[in-house]
Each structure stands twice: as C-alpha cells, then as structure tokens.
Amino acid sequence: MKISSGLLGHMVLQRNGENVCKATFAGVCTCTGVLTASVSSAGGEVAGFARVIVGEAARQKVRGTLQGLPVGGPYAITLRIEDAAGQALEQVVVDDVLVGDVWVLAGQSNMEGAGALADAAPAHPMVRAWYPDDHWDVAADPLHNKSIAVDRVHADLRGGFLPAPEPTRGTGPGVAYGQEMYRLTGVPQGLIACAHGGASMAQWDPKLKKLRGGSLYGAMLRRVRRNGGRVAGIVWYQGCTDANPENTPYYTGRMKAWVRAARRDFADAALPIAAVQIARLYGDRTYGADWSAIREQQRRLPEVIAHCTVVPAIDLPQDDIVHLSGVGQQRLGQRLARAMRTLITGDGEPPIAVKKISFVRSAINHCMEVHVAFTHVQGGLQALGEPNGLSLVNAEGVESPVYRVSLHGNTAVMHTCLVRYDIEQTALYYGYGSSPYCNITDAADRALPAFGPVALGKPRAVTDFVRTWRVSAQQPPVRSWRQLPYPTELALTAHTFAADFCSRRALAPNAGDGIIYYACNIDCPEPMQLALLLGYDGPVKLWVDGRELFYDAHGTNPAIPDAASATFHATPGSHEILIALGTNGGRAEGLFLRCERRDLPQRLIARGQEHYVLPQITAGEPVLA
C-alpha cells in the first residue's frame, strides 16, 4: 500500500473549527479489505485511535478519511488493510504528522525569496513546508527552491530550464510568517510554497488551471489538492511585474477574479487573504506613477475583497534594487502573521489607515502645516532618524517643498512654505514613485501604508501670478491710508519681475518710507465673477477701474500669497487694476497677485481649463498721465 495524497509523512493536516482534522486521503494497493488506522504520539497510543475503521481498499485503490485527530503532534499513523478476520493484508506507517494550520504562499520573487540566506531564521520543528519537489520537511529557506521544482511551469517560464541553486540568496517571508503564527497560536504551521519570480497577474490567470502543472494557478491547485485540498488562508506578494501602463489599470479587477477563483476551488467562500503592498524599485523611475498606482490599488483591496488584509513593505530594507533583504523579509513575515491573525480572530489592531487631514497655519512662518492623523496606531508613530515618505505632489507630478515632518502621537505634521490655496491644489502621498524613502512605523513595527493620491482640495479656476506690471517710481508717503485717493496723474513703466513675488527692490532700492504703484489690465471675453487674490507685506490699497475695492493699512510680513481677496463682477472687456503698496519704512518688499474665477460649476472646473475661460492679464496701456 502507498498513500499518494492527503496523508503524507512530515506533513501538517489542516484543522477544522473544532480543532481537529478531517483528512481525506487516497493511494494504491494490491488487495481488498477494510482500512483501519492506529495513531500513536510520543511512543503511546492516542485515545480513540486503535484500529479505527477509516476507509476501504478495492480495485487496487485505497481511500479513507482520518478525522478527530486533535491539534498537535507529531503523530505516527499506521494504516492497515484487514480481511474479514482482522488479519493485516498490507500496512504502511505515515510518520511525523502534525495537525494545525496550512497556508499557501503565492506571488512573485519577493514571496519566492531573494534575501540573503545568512539572515534566514533558524528552523523550528513545528513549522513545516511542502517544497517544490513535493516533499514535506521542517521549513527552512529557501522554501521556493526552483532547482528541484516538479511542476513544469517553473521551467517553462524560464525558457525551458530550471535555475541552478542559489548558494547565498533565498530568504523570503514564509518561514518568519509560519514561526510567528506558531508563536501567536501555539498551533503547528504548514507552508505550501507556490510563488514564482517575475510572475504577472496574466501568468497567474485562474483560467489556465486546466494546464495543471503547466500554469502557476494550476500548479498551486495541484499542490493544495495533493495535501487534502483545505488550507487556512493565502499569503500573497505580487504586483511589481504589473506596475506598467499596460497592466496597472487592470490590477484590481484581476486580483478580484483571482481571489474569487481561489475561494471557489478551495471550497471556502471566506478564505482569508493577506496581501503585501509592493515595496520599491531603485534606478529606473520610468514607471514611478504605475508603482504608486499599484500600491494604492493594493491598499484599497479590502474595500472590494471581503476577508482581505494588506500589509505594507514600503519601509523595509532591500538586498538589491527590488528585493527585500533577509532581515526585511523576516519583519514582513511577522507583520503578515499578526495581520492575518487579526483578520481571522479580530484580536489586535487592523492595519494603520488615514483618519483625518487638516490644515493649520504655522505661528512661526505663517505658512500652512498639513496634519495627517492616522487610526489603529499602536503606541504612537515613530521613525529612525527624521521621518520621511510623506509628500505633496502637484498636477504635473512635481513634489512641492515639505521642509520637515514631525510626529505627535498618531499624527504626522508636514511643515511647508505653502499657502492653503497651493496645498489644496496638490495631492497627498506616502511613498510617491518607484523608489521613495519611507521610514514611519508605529511602536509595534507596523508601517504606514503607502497611499495616494489623496486630493487635498477641490480644483479651482485660477490664473498664474501676475509678473508683468506697469510700475511707478517710489512716491511720497501718506499720513492716512484710509484716505489715500486714486491717483489722477502718475508715470508708469512696464516691468517684468523674475518671480511670482514682485519685489520693489528691483525698482526702488530707497530704504525710506513711500509708496510704489503697480498696475495691470485684465481682459474678460465674457461676464465673470472674479476674486483678486493678494499677498503683501506693507500697507496696501487696490482699485479696479478707479473704484476702491480693498484696503489694509497694516499688511503682513512676510508676504503670504492669497492672504486676502477682493471680489467684483467683471463685464466683458478690459479692466484696470491699480495697487498702492506702502514701503513700511523700508521693511515692505512687494506683493503677489493672481485672479480666480468664482462663477463656474465645480463639475466644469474639474474637467480642466480647456473647458472654460479665464481673464487674460496684461501690463496694458498706460491710462494714467
């Protein structure tokens, strides 16, 4: 008699909800009779398992079901085919069997393992692996040793040849996962190694399962069925190969289809899935946007796949441009185990998530701070060195300056040199691009998830800053800014400033007190409701077409873009804007100005500027003499 599936030496049998096994097995024989099982452990007979009838032998086949064996082991299981008189006709001993939880490890190279073997965890006898050559043994890296793989897909995807053994590389997250799960549960753990380096979602397509060992999905299914067909869950690390323009848009849909198929084929509609959010690719930044997009899709998988959790790897060290280091893999395995445990039992905290984003004006430089509060943080946020990874990115994909990030409990504060309007035109990311440096975790070594884009405001219809003006020489100061009249005679000269901040230093280096006048024209092709957005660092007064519209006798220092606004209804045609800026005893430097249109529906603004018109701003012709 030989048992070929379901009950194999050194294996882990999957427990059921009552913490006992129900293992269906099959094999071949040369006789007919009743199949019995006797089980011993540590040299003694296990109560209730002395020549228990578990199946039958007929037509050179043997089939049986061993059920009720409790979690633990190791067990020695003696199977006998007996005749009607109880005499043994054939016998086999299946030795060193455990009962606990069995997990599928699937995906691509980071699950397969490419970290330094010098950093591999020591083996533990209660954690076993079903290796690629179809044998069970104590789990030790490399779990996915493809040089011994029996499923032909692993050679087919490498040009028809299996790779030579790697003497120094091969540590993945699987061993650490199994050992951490054993620590958390006290239950023996089994790992079925199914990953393949470089594999895409198309190569993992469940529709290829009819090829059996000729496809990745088919090989996974064959290996699980060889071991009884039941598992506790799936641990998945894949997505790097799909981070490109051709495949990125389809990633979520393909993951949903893959999980749906696996749950159907493993006969478990609620089979838990712990997926890894991909780490980094150094060097080539061609597909940076796609790496960000894949991470964002992975972060949101639990929203569209029930009984799914996602574990970040964005902060973990690497041993090359794309593969986690042996140390990083062990940290990842432990994170995966804790996340899977929480997913299944509800014990512990779910993954860290963004809770609230708010803006606070800094008391130091009057610019904006972005406060990002997170939920499910254990023991507060922390970082080794200065916190990194959070960024603000504009519509052109350019990162805006964030000069410091500080951590306060469960909140990260981004210190910027931006005004609120500019921040609201950016998107918030953690882990932007293909190779971001991210180092924020909580006290339990759980990383912030890479995320983004998270829009920080609604799109707005705004012009560029005015840089070309008609400007005056410095004029005498006045006693009362409230009573400063619109000038009727004033010489103005066209000048283009080098920056959005139009500094008077380029025009009037005189350090004394006085007034500089700035004038421009706005041409409106249609009626529109406009707001003039001002920033200034001295006393200021603004007229439109000779009518006073805004005045502030104090100003601010430094000048902050969009610190004030003045609104008016613009009729079609040209309108003159004139601004008087006091030099404030030589302390005032200049001003900012741009124009916002506020009479457009939000849905039109969201479609982009090609769908609406803005006023055209020019230096215009002198109208004052």
Side-chain angles (χ1 to χ4, degrees), residues 451-501:
F451 62 82
V454 176
L456 296 182
K458 296 179 180 179
R460 294 167 69 179
V462 66
T463 67
D464 293 334
F465 284 98
V466 181
R467 288 192 178 189
T468 299
W469 297 85
R470 303 189 313 279
V471 294
S472 73
Q474 185 166 312
Q475 305 296 306
V478 293
R479 289 187 177 182
S480 171
W481 274 85
R482 173 65 256 169
Q483 297 176 7
L484 176 67
Y486 175 78
T488 57
E489 295 185 2
L490 189 63
L492 300 171
T493 304
H495 183 84
T496 299
F497 293 83
D500 294 338
F501 182 64

Side-chain angles (χ1 to χ4, degrees), residues 370-405:
V370 181
H371 291 227
V372 188
F374 296 89
T375 188
H376 308 308
V377 174
Q378 296 185 16
L381 297 176
Q382 60 186 30
L384 184 61
E386 187 169 338
N388 274 282
L390 287 161
S391 58
L392 302 173
V393 182
N394 66 22
E396 288 73 42
V398 177
E399 294 189 57
S400 299
V402 176
Y403 62 84
R404 180 164 60 91
V405 174

Side-chain angles (χ1 to χ4, degrees), residues 318-331:
Q318 297 186 189
D319 271 346
D320 59 34
I321 64 171
V322 72
H323 296 114
L324 298 183
S325 70
V327 172
Q329 290 282 22
Q330 291 200 51
R331 289 172 63 190

Side-chain angles (χ1 to χ4, degrees), residues 441-453:
T441 69
D442 67 8
D445 192 39
R446 302 188 318 143
L448 294 188
F451 62 82

